[in-house]
Amino acid sequence: MPRYDFDMFTIGAGSGGVASSRRAGSYGARVAVCEESRVGGTCVIRGCVPKKLLVYGAQFADAFADAAGFGWTVPVPSFDWPALIDAKDREIERLSQIYRNMLKNSSVELIEGRGLLVDPHTVEVNGRTYTADKILIAAGSHPTVPDVPGIQHVISSNEALDLAELPRRIVIVGGGYIAVEFAGIFNGFGAEVVELIRREELLYGFDNDIRIALAQEMRGRGIEIHARTQVARIEKRDHGYSVYTAIGQEFSAEVVMYATGRKPNTKGLGLPEIGVKTADNGAVVVDEWSCSNVSNIYAVGDVTDRINLTPVAITEGRAVAETLFNNNPIKMDHANVPSAVFSQPPIGAVGLTEEQARRQFGEIDVYCARFKPMKNTLSGREERTVMKLVVDARSDRVLGCHMLGPDAPEILQGLAIAVKCGVSKRMFDETVGIHPSAAEEFVTMREKTVRPTKLAAE
């Protein structure tokens, strides 16, 4: 008779938890996963997928505007926000059901309810206890907001995906990728958008040339961006809200959205009580194998606060399953993980920024290309694409690729493979470009960008 009810019990049926559970189940492990909300997690239900659907919807504004330059006569378009939200909701429900079916087809038992760790081998769900040899924590994260007067009046990205009506004017507080993406979404649908950020530039952690260029393009689309701005309080008015800054500025809006960070969902899981070590923000501290300080308890995804991206959570989760149930020890390699920001225009990046490369390698070469995309020559749109390569001057190895412009995420996915393989700048130079395309600029950049070696302030 088995010692435990399951070989692995997973807390959280998001991307990481589902991927790990399915992989373990495919190797014959007895697996259960519990979920207190909808199956699919942040990415499917209230993150990447619904947000990208809204991004697609907002981009039609550009298509209508650009069409005239190519000979099209387009009647003045109208837009139905509730119809888009309904369509989005149907798609999310479809995907959630697919996730359920995938668990079922992998012989993974789904237990609906919140999991609580009773001891290192026992999880309680809805008053019933389940035992497992291994426990995987994949509970994800949630939006956080600062403690300022009137903060109860704001929404997060969760609520922004489900607004009953499109606001005519919205204030977005935050300069990260979520804030930037929603600024582009609401602006594309015709709302007036004001974005308030604490730092000098958007997207802290991304390459400075890309950050600065994005802000310029966003402002060109009519988005107000106020840098070095701290919110002091938010007050409710008859027809909306007023946001007051520390220096006395007032911004009025129908909706105020905060996108100022996320926190791991570990509160109330019982981790301290059973000795699992967590960081100050609640993240589960894990080693290179995604194992906590309690030897049979693992954690993957946002709950570990390493690289909070869906494909990373999936890769971490699958590595755990391979290691534990397929006699195939795998560690997730967190170096050179590509990322994208679905801003308008979008960003794609892989590897080191110029600033990071200077710190780590000292002597580097930088190559940049700035140009108006061919489509814009007839559409009349003034936006420009920016591409950048960061190269180790000693070894000629490409350390980073960065792009702002149409199709940037699609282009950077391919370049990420090359960077992961240790591609050199010479290999880029010897590669024949696809003409005419924007992507060919990455293999035709020859002139080095000369700049002072002093690091720019972030």
Side-chain angles (χ1 to χ4, degrees):
M1 183 176 179
R3 181 179 177 186
Y4 300 105
D5 298 328
F6 299 99
D7 298 312
M8 184 172 81
F9 194 104
T10 301
I11 298 176
S15 298
V18 168
S20 189
S21 299
R22 290 183 61 213
R23 182 66 61 91
S26 72
Y27 295 136
R30 297 170 301 128
V31 183
V33 57
C34 71
E35 173 57 56
E36 66 174 330
S37 184
R38 297 167 68 186
V39 174
T42 297
C43 179
V44 173
I45 306 300
R46 51 193 172 273
C48 325
V49 173
K51 182 179 59 182
K52 185 69 179 292
L53 293 175
L54 297 193
V55 168
Y56 281 134
Q59 288 174 338
F60 280 94
D62 285 357
F64 291 130
D66 293 349
F70 291 87
W72 289 89
T73 300
V74 181
V76 177
S78 61
F79 174 67
D80 187 336
W81 173 267
L84 173 61
I85 298 303
D86 285 346
K88 179 265 297 180
D89 288 344
R90 290 193 299 272
E91 175 61 9
I92 298 313
E93 182 56 38
R94 185 185 74 85
L95 293 175
S96 181
Q97 188 58 51
I98 287 175
Y99 267 56
R100 286 175 171 270
N101 292 338
M102 289 191 301
L103 289 173
K104 181 179 179 180
N105 293 339
S106 299
S107 300
V108 176
E109 181 176 342
L110 174 62
I111 302 169
E112 301 193 52
R114 180 174 177 79
L116 171 67
L117 285 160
V118 177
D119 62 46
H121 291 281
T122 306
V123 180
E124 179 183 311
V125 185
N126 297 330
R128 180 177 174 182
T129 59
Y130 304 86
T131 60
D133 183 22
K134 311 294 182 184
I135 290 175
L136 177 65
I137 302 170
S141 63
H142 63 276
T144 60
V145 294
D147 185 15
V148 300
I151 198 66
Q152 70 272 16
H153 299 308
V154 311
I155 67 169
S156 71
S157 57
N158 290 351
E159 294 79 26
L161 293 166
D162 295 318
L163 289 173
E165 297 180 357
L166 176 68
R168 289 172 295 181
R169 182 174 172 85
I170 182 169
V171 169
I172 299 176
V173 181
Y177 73 94
I178 295 175
V180 162
E181 289 172 339
F182 274 100
I185 288 169
F186 288 116
N187 172 258
F189 289 127
E192 295 180 27
V193 179
V194 176
E195 187 168 0
L196 309 180
I197 64 176
R198 293 181 302 164
R199 298 181 185 272
E200 181 69 28
E201 297 293 344
L202 302 164
L203 295 177
Y204 177 73
F206 282 78
D207 189 88
N208 280 342
D209 283 328
I210 301 298
R211 299 165 68 192
I212 292 168
L214 175 63
Q216 179 179 342
E217 301 299 356
M218 289 176 64
R219 288 187 172 108
R221 286 172 172 260
I223 297 173
E224 288 185 41
I225 302 173
H226 296 266
R228 304 183 304 279
T229 301
Q230 295 276 6
V231 174
R233 70 186 190 279
I234 301 137
E235 295 184 1
K236 183 171 175 50
R237 302 299 186 199
D238 290 340
H239 301 290
Y241 304 92
S242 289
V243 178
Y244 293 92
T245 71
I247 60 173
Q249 296 169 293
E250 179 184 359
F251 299 96
S252 60
E254 292 181 354
V255 173
V256 180
M257 174 183 166
Y258 262 68
T260 51
R262 297 179 68 86
K263 189 174 181 180
N265 287 328
T266 54
K267 186 176 181 180
L269 287 184
L271 299 179
E273 290 80 1
I274 65 170
V276 175
K277 184 178 180 181
T278 57
D280 291 341
N281 67 346
V284 180
V285 178
V286 294
D287 62 15
E288 58 189 350
W289 300 97
S290 293
C291 186
S292 75
N293 62 303
V294 178
S295 62
N296 72 299
I297 296 180
Y298 293 75
V300 298
D302 288 11
V303 80
T304 66
D305 196 29
R306 289 178 283 184
I307 299 177
N308 298 337
L309 297 171
T310 295
V312 172
I314 291 171
T315 305
E316 290 170 349
R318 287 175 175 168
V320 169
E322 291 287 337
T323 300
L324 296 179
F325 302 108
N326 194 37
N327 194 29
N328 180 28
I330 294 179
K331 294 180 288 187
M332 161 76 186
D333 182 2
H334 291 87
N336 292 322
V337 171
S339 62
V341 181
F342 294 101
S343 47
Q344 299 188 42
I347 289 170
V350 64
L352 301 180
T353 67
E354 178 181 346
E355 298 72 33
Q356 291 167 341
R358 288 193 188 279
R359 291 192 186 98
Q360 293 186 35
F361 291 85
E363 188 179 351
I364 63 170
D365 293 327
V366 176
Y367 301 81
C368 277
R370 292 178 172 86
F371 58 92
K372 180 182 286 190
M374 178 183 285
K375 181 181 178 182
N376 291 359
T377 61
L378 293 189
S379 73
R381 187 171 297 279
E382 292 300 321
E383 288 180 353
R384 302 182 73 82
T385 288
V386 179
M387 293 178 172
K388 184 172 181 178
L389 289 176
V390 180
V391 181
D392 180 4
R394 294 180 179 85
S395 69
D396 196 46
R397 182 163 65 94
V398 176
L399 303 174
C401 305
H402 308 273
M403 177 178 173
L404 168 73
D407 301 319
E410 307 293 340
I411 293 170
L412 262 294
Q413 179 66 81
L415 294 184
I417 300 171
V419 172
K420 198 74 174 176
C421 292
V423 68
S424 67
K425 178 62 168 67
R426 180 178 178 179
M427 292 176 183
F428 269 69
D429 296 340
E430 293 176 348
T431 299
V432 176
I434 298 174
H435 185 76
S437 71
E440 70 177 315
E441 291 291 333
F442 271 114
V443 299
T444 60
M445 289 188 276
R446 297 290 186 270
E447 298 298 321
K448 298 177 185 178
T449 300
V450 179
R451 10 172 154 256
T453 56
K454 184 179 180 181
L455 291 172
E458 292 191 4

